[in-house]
Amino acid sequence: MAAKWAIGLMSGTSGDGVDAALIKADAQAIEVFGPSVSEPYDPAFRDRLKACYGGKQPAAEIDAVARDLTLLHARAVQRLLALAHLKPADILICGFHGQTILHAPRERRTWQIGDGALLAKLIGIDVVNDFRAADVAAGGQGAPLVPIFHKALADTLPPEVKRPLAVLNIGGVANVTWIGPNDSTGHGSLLAFDTGPGNALIDDWAQRHGGEPVDLGGALARAGRIDEDVLAELLSHPFFDLPAPKSLDRNAFHSKMVDHLNAVDGAATLTAFTAAAIARAVHLFPEPAQNWLVCGGGRHNPVLMEALTERLDAPVRGVDAIDWNGDALEAQAFAYLALRSLAGLPISFPTTTGVPQPMTGGTLHRA
C-alpha cells in the first residue's frame, strides 16, 4: 500500500482533551509527520467524563457523554484539516481511540466510549475504532497498543541512539516499550507493559489541593518532602510483582495513603511514586535500556523528569529532543494503527499485550 494521509485521535487517561494528528504512512513505515491540534475539554465536560469512569453512571448519561465526546473529536478533525489545507477526500482513514472508562482485562472487559459511525458521518472520512476489544476477548491485556508505532519510530533513529531503547509514555497511566537491537532479519524484539501510575494521582491531588488540573512545573512537589514510609507502602501494591505484559485501569491506584499529608508533601510523595514505579519496571527488561525517551504530559513535569534521571541508570530525555512530537505521539500512533487495521496487519503481540498470537483489531465504519 502506498503511503496515504491518516488522522489519529487520542483522548487519554488524563481526560483533559483530545489530540488529533496527521501522518502520511503505509502500514509498515511513516513517511511524513503532519500537523497536530489539541481540543481541550471544558471543566464541566471533564467532570461529566470522569464521572463515567468505572461505568458507574446510568447508561443514558454515558451515551450522552459518548455523543458529546464524539462531537468534540469531530471538531478537532475539522480544525486539523483546516490547518493542513486538506479535504476529507484527501484522508484515507481516521483512527479513533475513544475514551477509556473501564479497563479490566482479567475480566475480559475494556470499554472505550465514542461513536465511530457517527464520527465517520460527521467528518466524511472512514473511521476505525474499538482497537482494544478483540485483543482482550482473545485473552490479551488490550494495552498498551502503541509499541508497534514506537518500533516504527525507532527504526528512523540514527545508529548513535543505542538500543536497547525504552520509550516511556507518561499519561494518566505510565507505560513503557522496550525495543531490543535489530536481529539478522532487521527486526528488533519488543516488550511492553504498564509500569503503574503516571500523572493521574498527581493531577487529582493538584486539583484538590491547588485548584489546578496539573502540578504546574512540579511546583507543589518541589516544595514538599517525600514520605518514605508512605512511598514504600504504595510500592507494596501487588501489581508490581506481576510479570509483563500487564496493564492497569486509571483507578487501580488511589491517593488515600497520602491523604494525611499536606499539599506539598503529598505531591512530592505521589511524584516519587510514579518515578519509583517506572524504575521498578527495569527488572522486567531482557537487558537494561541504554536510552530512555519520554513522551506524554509527564515529560513537562521537571520534578518527575529529575526523579527519573536519579532512579534510572541511563540517559533520560523527552522525545522532543530527537524531533518526535511528544504531545501528538499517541494520536499519531492511532493513525498508524488504523492503517495497519485496514491492511489486516497485527497491532498487538504476545510480548506487548500478552495476546496468544499477533493479531489485528479495530472496527471499520465507512463515511
Side-chain angles (χ1 to χ4, degrees), residues 11 24 26 82 88 99 109 138 143 169 193-195 200 217 220-222 234 249 257 271 298 307 324 343-344 360:
S11 179
K24 192 172 189 180
D26 60 22
Q99 178 70 49
R109 297 179 66 202
N169 175 55
F193 53 95
D194 286 351
T195 62
L220 284 174
R222 193 176 296 284
L234 288 166
D249 185 81
M257 293 182 190
T271 302
W324 296 357
T360 191

PDB file of all heavy atoms in Angstrom, residues 11 24 26 82 88 99 109 138 143 169 193-195 200 217 220-222 234 249 257 271 298 307 324 343-344 360:
ATOM      1  N   SER A  11      -7.842  10.487  23.211  1.00  0.00           N
ATOM      2  CA  SER A  11      -8.289  11.084  24.465  1.00  0.00           C
ATOM      3  C   SER A  11      -7.814  10.141  25.565  1.00  0.00           C
ATOM      4  O   SER A  11      -8.327   9.041  25.712  1.00  0.00           O
ATOM      5  CB  SER A  11      -9.809  11.216  24.487  1.00  0.00           C
ATOM      6  OG  SER A  11     -10.259  11.775  25.698  1.00  0.00           O
ATOM      7  N   LYS A  24       1.516  10.755   7.171  1.00  0.00           N
ATOM      8  CA  LYS A  24       1.458  10.116   5.865  1.00  0.00           C
ATOM      9  C   LYS A  24       2.305   8.864   5.971  1.00  0.00           C
ATOM     10  O   LYS A  24       3.505   8.933   6.262  1.00  0.00           O
ATOM     11  CB  LYS A  24       1.979  11.042   4.771  1.00  0.00           C
ATOM     12  CG  LYS A  24       1.671  10.541   3.360  1.00  0.00           C
ATOM     13  CD  LYS A  24       2.042  11.595   2.311  1.00  0.00           C
ATOM     14  CE  LYS A  24       1.531  11.173   0.933  1.00  0.00           C
ATOM     15  NZ  LYS A  24       1.878  12.199  -0.099  1.00  0.00           N
ATOM     16  N   ASP A  26       2.369   4.196   5.226  1.00  0.00           N
ATOM     17  CA  ASP A  26       1.697   2.964   4.863  1.00  0.00           C
ATOM     18  C   ASP A  26       1.589   2.132   6.140  1.00  0.00           C
ATOM     19  O   ASP A  26       1.809   2.636   7.244  1.00  0.00           O
ATOM     20  CB  ASP A  26       2.428   2.236   3.735  1.00  0.00           C
ATOM     21  CG  ASP A  26       3.863   1.848   4.089  1.00  0.00           C
ATOM     22  OD1 ASP A  26       4.181   1.742   5.297  1.00  0.00           O
ATOM     23  OD2 ASP A  26       4.657   1.646   3.159  1.00  0.00           O
ATOM     24  N   ALA A  82      -8.383  21.993   8.411  1.00  0.00           N
ATOM     25  CA  ALA A  82      -8.228  23.395   8.016  1.00  0.00           C
ATOM     26  C   ALA A  82      -6.773  23.838   8.154  1.00  0.00           C
ATOM     27  O   ALA A  82      -6.232  24.529   7.282  1.00  0.00           O
ATOM     28  CB  ALA A  82      -9.148  24.274   8.859  1.00  0.00           C
ATOM     29  N   PRO A  88     -11.561  16.178   3.423  1.00  0.00           N
ATOM     30  CA  PRO A  88     -11.815  14.796   3.840  1.00  0.00           C
ATOM     31  C   PRO A  88     -11.416  13.769   2.784  1.00  0.00           C
ATOM     32  O   PRO A  88     -10.917  12.686   3.118  1.00  0.00           O
ATOM     33  CB  PRO A  88     -13.324  14.785   4.109  1.00  0.00           C
ATOM     34  CG  PRO A  88     -13.624  16.186   4.551  1.00  0.00           C
ATOM     35  CD  PRO A  88     -12.724  17.053   3.709  1.00  0.00           C
ATOM     36  N   GLN A  99     -12.594   7.205  24.545  1.00  0.00           N
ATOM     37  CA  GLN A  99     -12.176   7.438  25.923  1.00  0.00           C
ATOM     38  C   GLN A  99     -12.385   6.180  26.749  1.00  0.00           C
ATOM     39  O   GLN A  99     -13.507   5.673  26.851  1.00  0.00           O
ATOM     40  CB  GLN A  99     -12.981   8.579  26.543  1.00  0.00           C
ATOM     41  CG  GLN A  99     -12.648   8.855  28.003  1.00  0.00           C
ATOM     42  CD  GLN A  99     -11.266   9.469  28.166  1.00  0.00           C
ATOM     43  OE1 GLN A  99     -10.935  10.429  27.479  1.00  0.00           O
ATOM     44  NE2 GLN A  99     -10.476   8.929  29.065  1.00  0.00           N
ATOM     45  N   ARG A 109     -12.765  -7.467  29.924  1.00  0.00           N
ATOM     46  CA  ARG A 109     -13.597  -6.291  29.675  1.00  0.00           C
ATOM     47  C   ARG A 109     -12.706  -5.080  29.456  1.00  0.00           C
ATOM     48  O   ARG A 109     -11.751  -4.850  30.202  1.00  0.00           O
ATOM     49  CB  ARG A 109     -14.525  -5.993  30.861  1.00  0.00           C
ATOM     50  CG  ARG A 109     -15.542  -7.053  31.180  1.00  0.00           C
ATOM     51  CD  ARG A 109     -16.362  -6.647  32.385  1.00  0.00           C
ATOM     52  NE  ARG A 109     -17.181  -5.475  32.127  1.00  0.00           N
ATOM     53  CZ  ARG A 109     -17.662  -4.670  33.079  1.00  0.00           C
ATOM     54  NH1 ARG A 109     -17.380  -4.907  34.355  1.00  0.00           N
ATOM     55  NH2 ARG A 109     -18.403  -3.638  32.777  1.00  0.00           N
ATOM     56  N   ALA A 138      -9.526 -12.130  23.261  1.00  0.00           N
ATOM     57  CA  ALA A 138      -8.636 -13.266  22.991  1.00  0.00           C
ATOM     58  C   ALA A 138      -7.727 -13.589  24.168  1.00  0.00           C
ATOM     59  O   ALA A 138      -6.901 -14.500  24.075  1.00  0.00           O
ATOM     60  CB  ALA A 138      -7.786 -12.977  21.754  1.00  0.00           C
ATOM     61  N   ALA A 143      -3.719  -3.565  26.109  1.00  0.00           N
ATOM     62  CA  ALA A 143      -2.870  -2.385  26.298  1.00  0.00           C
ATOM     63  C   ALA A 143      -1.486  -2.874  26.727  1.00  0.00           C
ATOM     64  O   ALA A 143      -1.365  -3.948  27.326  1.00  0.00           O
ATOM     65  CB  ALA A 143      -3.465  -1.470  27.377  1.00  0.00           C
ATOM     66  N   ASN A 169       5.861   6.346  28.009  1.00  0.00           N
ATOM     67  CA  ASN A 169       4.741   7.273  27.869  1.00  0.00           C
ATOM     68  C   ASN A 169       4.126   7.522  29.243  1.00  0.00           C
ATOM     69  O   ASN A 169       3.651   6.584  29.897  1.00  0.00           O
ATOM     70  CB  ASN A 169       3.680   6.711  26.928  1.00  0.00           C
ATOM     71  CG  ASN A 169       2.456   7.611  26.858  1.00  0.00           C
ATOM     72  OD1 ASN A 169       2.563   8.788  26.569  1.00  0.00           O
ATOM     73  ND2 ASN A 169       1.302   7.050  27.151  1.00  0.00           N
ATOM     74  N   PHE A 193       4.514  -2.885  28.593  1.00  0.00           N
ATOM     75  CA  PHE A 193       3.591  -3.077  29.712  1.00  0.00           C
ATOM     76  C   PHE A 193       3.377  -1.740  30.415  1.00  0.00           C
ATOM     77  O   PHE A 193       4.163  -0.799  30.263  1.00  0.00           O
ATOM     78  CB  PHE A 193       4.130  -4.105  30.710  1.00  0.00           C
ATOM     79  CG  PHE A 193       5.534  -3.833  31.211  1.00  0.00           C
ATOM     80  CD1 PHE A 193       5.756  -3.160  32.401  1.00  0.00           C
ATOM     81  CD2 PHE A 193       6.641  -4.265  30.476  1.00  0.00           C
ATOM     82  CE1 PHE A 193       7.045  -2.925  32.864  1.00  0.00           C
ATOM     83  CE2 PHE A 193       7.926  -4.035  30.932  1.00  0.00           C
ATOM     84  CZ  PHE A 193       8.134  -3.363  32.127  1.00  0.00           C
ATOM     85  N   ASP A 194       2.289  -1.661  31.173  1.00  0.00           N
ATOM     86  CA  ASP A 194       2.067  -0.518  32.053  1.00  0.00           C
ATOM     87  C   ASP A 194       3.002  -0.636  33.252  1.00  0.00           C
ATOM     88  O   ASP A 194       3.170  -1.725  33.814  1.00  0.00           O
ATOM     89  CB  ASP A 194       0.618  -0.479  32.534  1.00  0.00           C
ATOM     90  CG  ASP A 194      -0.365  -0.038  31.459  1.00  0.00           C
ATOM     91  OD1 ASP A 194       0.087   0.409  30.386  1.00  0.00           O
ATOM     92  OD2 ASP A 194      -1.582  -0.157  31.687  1.00  0.00           O
ATOM     93  N   THR A 195       3.595   0.491  33.631  1.00  0.00           N
ATOM     94  CA  THR A 195       4.511   0.490  34.776  1.00  0.00           C
ATOM     95  C   THR A 195       3.827   0.841  36.081  1.00  0.00           C
ATOM     96  O   THR A 195       4.356   0.539  37.154  1.00  0.00           O
ATOM     97  CB  THR A 195       5.660   1.484  34.550  1.00  0.00           C
ATOM     98  OG1 THR A 195       5.122   2.812  34.443  1.00  0.00           O
ATOM     99  CG2 THR A 195       6.444   1.144  33.287  1.00  0.00           C
ATOM    100  N   ALA A 200      -2.052  10.575  36.753  1.00  0.00           N
ATOM    101  CA  ALA A 200      -3.424  10.629  37.263  1.00  0.00           C
ATOM    102  C   ALA A 200      -3.491  11.013  38.736  1.00  0.00           C
ATOM    103  O   ALA A 200      -4.239  11.923  39.128  1.00  0.00           O
ATOM    104  CB  ALA A 200      -4.123   9.285  37.037  1.00  0.00           C
ATOM    105  N   GLY A 217       4.606  22.824  36.458  1.00  0.00           N
ATOM    106  CA  GLY A 217       6.039  22.912  36.677  1.00  0.00           C
ATOM    107  C   GLY A 217       6.538  22.096  37.854  1.00  0.00           C
ATOM    108  O   GLY A 217       7.680  22.287  38.291  1.00  0.00           O
ATOM    109  N   LEU A 220       4.284  22.140  43.345  1.00  0.00           N
ATOM    110  CA  LEU A 220       3.878  21.558  44.628  1.00  0.00           C
ATOM    111  C   LEU A 220       4.893  20.516  45.085  1.00  0.00           C
ATOM    112  O   LEU A 220       5.345  20.530  46.241  1.00  0.00           O
ATOM    113  CB  LEU A 220       2.494  20.915  44.507  1.00  0.00           C
ATOM    114  CG  LEU A 220       1.266  21.817  44.481  1.00  0.00           C
ATOM    115  CD1 LEU A 220       0.018  20.992  44.200  1.00  0.00           C
ATOM    116  CD2 LEU A 220       1.124  22.571  45.796  1.00  0.00           C
ATOM    117  N   ALA A 221       5.251  19.618  44.174  1.00  0.00           N
ATOM    118  CA  ALA A 221       6.172  18.540  44.542  1.00  0.00           C
ATOM    119  C   ALA A 221       7.540  19.080  44.946  1.00  0.00           C
ATOM    120  O   ALA A 221       8.163  18.569  45.890  1.00  0.00           O
ATOM    121  CB  ALA A 221       6.315  17.568  43.379  1.00  0.00           C
ATOM    122  N   ARG A 222       8.008  20.095  44.255  1.00  0.00           N
ATOM    123  CA  ARG A 222       9.334  20.625  44.565  1.00  0.00           C
ATOM    124  C   ARG A 222       9.376  21.253  45.952  1.00  0.00           C
ATOM    125  O   ARG A 222      10.418  21.256  46.618  1.00  0.00           O
ATOM    126  CB  ARG A 222       9.767  21.643  43.502  1.00  0.00           C
ATOM    127  CG  ARG A 222      11.254  21.977  43.591  1.00  0.00           C
ATOM    128  CD  ARG A 222      11.716  22.906  42.502  1.00  0.00           C
ATOM    129  NE  ARG A 222      11.614  22.373  41.160  1.00  0.00           N
ATOM    130  CZ  ARG A 222      12.445  21.477  40.648  1.00  0.00           C
ATOM    131  NH1 ARG A 222      13.427  20.971  41.390  1.00  0.00           N
ATOM    132  NH2 ARG A 222      12.296  21.065  39.408  1.00  0.00           N
ATOM    133  N   LEU A 234       2.982   2.392  49.165  1.00  0.00           N
ATOM    134  CA  LEU A 234       2.421   2.480  47.815  1.00  0.00           C
ATOM    135  C   LEU A 234       3.070   1.453  46.886  1.00  0.00           C
ATOM    136  O   LEU A 234       2.406   0.816  46.066  1.00  0.00           O
ATOM    137  CB  LEU A 234       2.619   3.891  47.257  1.00  0.00           C
ATOM    138  CG  LEU A 234       1.756   4.992  47.875  1.00  0.00           C
ATOM    139  CD1 LEU A 234       2.300   6.368  47.484  1.00  0.00           C
ATOM    140  CD2 LEU A 234       0.303   4.858  47.427  1.00  0.00           C
ATOM    141  N   ASP A 249      -6.108  -0.167  34.965  1.00  0.00           N
ATOM    142  CA  ASP A 249      -7.150   0.840  34.878  1.00  0.00           C
ATOM    143  C   ASP A 249      -6.643   2.114  35.545  1.00  0.00           C
ATOM    144  O   ASP A 249      -5.823   2.054  36.469  1.00  0.00           O
ATOM    145  CB  ASP A 249      -8.415   0.355  35.585  1.00  0.00           C
ATOM    146  CG  ASP A 249      -9.578   1.320  35.432  1.00  0.00           C
ATOM    147  OD1 ASP A 249     -10.239   1.283  34.374  1.00  0.00           O
ATOM    148  OD2 ASP A 249      -9.817   2.113  36.352  1.00  0.00           O
ATOM    149  N   MET A 257      -3.609   6.807  50.755  1.00  0.00           N
ATOM    150  CA  MET A 257      -2.455   6.631  51.642  1.00  0.00           C
ATOM    151  C   MET A 257      -1.711   7.932  51.913  1.00  0.00           C
ATOM    152  O   MET A 257      -0.928   8.003  52.858  1.00  0.00           O
ATOM    153  CB  MET A 257      -1.488   5.604  51.038  1.00  0.00           C
ATOM    154  CG  MET A 257      -2.031   4.196  50.990  1.00  0.00           C
ATOM    155  SD  MET A 257      -0.799   3.058  50.313  1.00  0.00           S
ATOM    156  CE  MET A 257      -1.785   1.588  50.095  1.00  0.00           C
ATOM    157  N   THR A 271       4.615  12.081  43.239  1.00  0.00           N
ATOM    158  CA  THR A 271       5.541  12.214  42.107  1.00  0.00           C
ATOM    159  C   THR A 271       6.658  11.178  42.224  1.00  0.00           C
ATOM    160  O   THR A 271       7.036  10.524  41.235  1.00  0.00           O
ATOM    161  CB  THR A 271       6.119  13.639  42.054  1.00  0.00           C
ATOM    162  OG1 THR A 271       5.035  14.573  41.945  1.00  0.00           O
ATOM    163  CG2 THR A 271       7.058  13.814  40.867  1.00  0.00           C
ATOM    164  N   GLY A 298       3.685  13.813  31.188  1.00  0.00           N
ATOM    165  CA  GLY A 298       4.606  13.757  32.317  1.00  0.00           C
ATOM    166  C   GLY A 298       5.965  14.335  32.033  1.00  0.00           C
ATOM    167  O   GLY A 298       6.666  14.779  32.952  1.00  0.00           O
ATOM    168  N   ALA A 307      13.443  13.096  38.923  1.00  0.00           N
ATOM    169  CA  ALA A 307      13.355  11.867  39.713  1.00  0.00           C
ATOM    170  C   ALA A 307      13.676  10.647  38.862  1.00  0.00           C
ATOM    171  O   ALA A 307      14.330   9.705  39.320  1.00  0.00           O
ATOM    172  CB  ALA A 307      11.961  11.747  40.335  1.00  0.00           C
ATOM    173  N   TRP A 324      10.722  13.987  17.810  1.00  0.00           N
ATOM    174  CA  TRP A 324       9.401  13.397  17.861  1.00  0.00           C
ATOM    175  C   TRP A 324       8.479  14.390  18.571  1.00  0.00           C
ATOM    176  O   TRP A 324       8.919  15.126  19.462  1.00  0.00           O
ATOM    177  CB  TRP A 324       9.389  12.086  18.632  1.00  0.00           C
ATOM    178  CG  TRP A 324      10.198  10.975  18.031  1.00  0.00           C
ATOM    179  CD1 TRP A 324      10.892  10.984  16.850  1.00  0.00           C
ATOM    180  CD2 TRP A 324      10.399   9.679  18.604  1.00  0.00           C
ATOM    181  NE1 TRP A 324      11.512   9.781  16.654  1.00  0.00           N
ATOM    182  CE2 TRP A 324      11.232   8.946  17.713  1.00  0.00           C
ATOM    183  CE3 TRP A 324       9.972   9.045  19.771  1.00  0.00           C
ATOM    184  CZ2 TRP A 324      11.633   7.639  17.959  1.00  0.00           C
ATOM    185  CZ3 TRP A 324      10.367   7.739  20.027  1.00  0.00           C
ATOM    186  CH2 TRP A 324      11.183   7.041  19.125  1.00  0.00           C
ATOM    187  N   ALA A 343      -5.086  -2.812   6.647  1.00  0.00           N
ATOM    188  CA  ALA A 343      -4.272  -3.775   5.904  1.00  0.00           C
ATOM    189  C   ALA A 343      -4.337  -5.185   6.490  1.00  0.00           C
ATOM    190  O   ALA A 343      -3.727  -6.111   5.947  1.00  0.00           O
ATOM    191  CB  ALA A 343      -2.821  -3.300   5.858  1.00  0.00           C
ATOM    192  N   GLY A 344      -5.048  -5.352   7.607  1.00  0.00           N
ATOM    193  CA  GLY A 344      -5.143  -6.660   8.246  1.00  0.00           C
ATOM    194  C   GLY A 344      -3.876  -7.087   8.951  1.00  0.00           C
ATOM    195  O   GLY A 344      -3.678  -8.284   9.203  1.00  0.00           O
ATOM    196  N   THR A 360      -4.645  -8.477  14.622  1.00  0.00           N
ATOM    197  CA  THR A 360      -5.113  -7.150  14.258  1.00  0.00           C
ATOM    198  C   THR A 360      -6.307  -6.796  15.141  1.00  0.00           C
ATOM    199  O   THR A 360      -6.692  -7.567  16.026  1.00  0.00           O
ATOM    200  CB  THR A 360      -5.456  -7.084  12.761  1.00  0.00           C
ATOM    201  OG1 THR A 360      -5.664  -5.706  12.391  1.00  0.00           O
ATOM    202  CG2 THR A 360      -6.694  -7.899  12.440  1.00  0.00           C
TER     203      THR A 360
END
